[in-house]
Amino acid sequence: MITKILPYIAAAALFVGFASCSDDDTPKYQTPTEPLVLNTPPFASQLYVLNPEGMMDFAVAQQPDYGFLASVNYGLEVSLDKDKVRALAPEKLTSSNIEVKESEFATAMCVLNGIENEEDWNLNESARQPQTVYVRATAQLPGVESSFVTSEWVTLDKVQPYFAVPVPGFIYLVGSPEGWAGPTPENASHYADWRLFESQTAIGSKVYTGVFDMPAAPLFRFYTALEGWDVNSYGSQADDNPIEYTLTDGQWQGKLVPGKGSFSFPDFSGGEMTIVVDLNDNSIQIMAGDQTGEYSGSNPGLK
C-alpha cells in the first residue's frame, strides 16, 4: 500500500516544484546597474555641417537591463564641456535608433554657447566655428524615476553650427505715424521702431503686438515684409483708400484684409496706442494707451 502511495507523493512534490519555479520566473523590475551603450556614429571624426532640414541618427546597442523587456523612452543629451547639458527629444520616443532634427541640435549648440539673438551670434566668432560636441543617450521607463540611465559620452570632433535660436516674428506698421517712408529694404533701419512682435513665449503664433506713440488722426496699414508698396500689405480694404473708424471707450476691433486700404482714426487726439494683429484670423484690436503690460515705447523689443 505504501508502495502505491509513493508515486503520488513524488508527483505532488514535482508539481510544487514547478509552481515554485513559475513564481520565481515572474518578471520583476530592477534598477539598471550598467550604463547604456551608445554606438559611435560613422561621422564622429568628420566635419559635420548641420542643415536646417537634416536629421542625425544615433543608435543604442541594447536596452537597459530592467529585469524584463519593456517599452523604453529614449533621448539624447548634448554638451560642449560635459557639464552644461541640453536635452533633445527624438522623433520616435521609444526607438533605440535615436533620430533628432539637426535644427534642434543647432539650437542646443547656440544655447550652450550663450547665444540668445542674432547680435550675440554675430559677435561670437568661436560659436560660429566647427566645435567639438559631446553626446550621450538616455533611457527611462515612463513614470519610473529610478529607471533613468545614461550612456558614456561620445565625442563628435567637428560640428558646424548655424544660428538657430527661435526669435519672435514681427510685422511693420507703415503710415503717417512714421512718415510714409516706404516699405523697401533700404528703409529697414527706419522701420526698426515700427514693428509689432510676437510674444517671446508664443513664437510662431502669428499674433503681433506693439505700442506706438501716435500723432493725432493717424493713418496706417501693415506689411509682413519690406519688399515694396504693392506686396505683403494688410489693411482695411484691398483698394488704396482709407476707411475711417472711431475708438469707443478707447477701443476698436475688426478685420484686416490683404490690400492697401489704410485704417484711419480721425478722432484720435494722439498719444500711445496699443495694436494687436492676429494673422491667423486676420483680426485687429486697437486700444488707447499701453494696454499690454508687457511692452512700452514705440519699439516693443524682444521681451
Side-chain angles (χ1 to χ4, degrees):
M1 185 69 175
I2 293 177
T3 303
K4 294 182 179 180
I5 294 175
L6 285 176
Y8 293 102
I9 295 176
L14 185 60
F15 176 79
V16 171
F18 279 130
S20 299
C21 290
S22 177
D23 290 341
D24 291 342
D25 289 342
T26 300
K28 294 182 180 179
Y29 167 74
Q30 64 182 30
T31 302
T33 58
E34 298 292 332
L36 282 178
V37 177
L38 178 63
N39 295 331
T40 300
F43 56 80
S45 61
Q46 304 170 8
L47 173 63
Y48 195 106
V49 180
L50 296 174
N51 184 320
E53 306 300 324
M55 303 293 295
M56 299 180 80
D57 291 311
F58 301 87
V60 171
Q62 62 184 28
Q63 184 182 107
D65 184 7
Y66 293 120
F68 54 90
L69 293 177
S71 178
V72 180
N73 289 346
Y74 291 95
L76 194 74
E77 292 185 341
V78 179
S79 180
L80 301 178
D81 55 10
K82 300 183 182 180
D83 182 22
K84 188 178 179 181
V85 174
R86 178 86 171 181
L88 303 182
E91 291 296 285
K92 297 178 181 179
L93 191 61
T94 58
S95 173
S96 59
N97 180 37
I98 302 173
E99 188 179 32
V100 296
K101 292 180 179 178
E102 291 183 23
S103 59
E104 297 290 334
F105 203 97
T107 298
M109 291 183 67
C110 285
V111 171
L112 292 171
N113 275 301
I115 305 298
E116 296 182 358
N117 50 54
E118 287 191 80
E119 183 179 4
D120 290 344
W121 173 257
N122 293 330
L123 292 175
N124 192 333
E125 183 176 355
S126 61
R128 302 196 304 270
Q129 303 303 315
Q131 298 167 59
T132 298
V133 182
Y134 305 99
V135 298
R136 67 183 179 187
T138 66
Q140 186 173 18
L141 297 178
V144 183
E145 185 175 349
S146 64
S147 67
F148 183 78
V149 61
T150 67
S151 71
E152 300 293 340
W153 290 105
V154 169
T155 303
L156 307 182
D157 290 338
K158 293 176 290 185
V159 181
Q160 174 65 61
Y162 63 90
F163 179 70
V165 177
V167 296
F170 54 84
I171 60 174
Y172 301 91
L173 182 147
V174 175
S176 65
E178 50 78 21
W180 294 105
T184 62
E186 295 77 18
N187 289 331
S189 60
H190 168 81
Y191 282 107
D193 289 338
W194 296 98
R195 292 180 291 175
L196 296 82
F197 288 86
E198 293 176 325
S199 168
Q200 186 74 43
T201 58
I203 295 173
S205 66
K206 295 185 179 181
V207 178
Y208 307 91
T209 302
V211 180
F212 303 94
D213 188 8
M214 292 291 201
L219 289 86
F220 53 85
R221 56 183 180 263
F222 306 96
Y223 282 77
T224 57
L226 303 177
E227 298 176 342
W229 287 109
D230 297 326
V231 291
N232 308 310
S233 62
Y234 285 82
S236 59
Q237 62 178 352
D239 295 337
D240 189 2
N241 291 304
I243 296 180
E244 295 184 355
Y245 301 95
T246 300
L247 298 182
T248 302
D249 296 328
Q251 299 188 49
W252 176 85
Q253 57 185 356
K255 291 288 186 178
L256 45 79
V257 299
K260 297 171 64 177
S262 296
F263 294 94
S264 173
F265 292 89
D267 295 334
F268 187 73
S269 60
E272 285 192 326
M273 176 183 284
T274 299
I275 303 176
V276 181
V277 171
D278 186 340
L279 289 185
N280 296 292
D281 60 5
N282 287 352
S283 63
I284 178 172
Q285 183 177 12
I286 294 178
M287 298 160 281
D290 181 352
Q291 303 296 330
T292 65
E294 182 177 2
Y295 304 117
S296 62
S298 60
N299 184 357
L302 300 180
K303 296 289 185 180

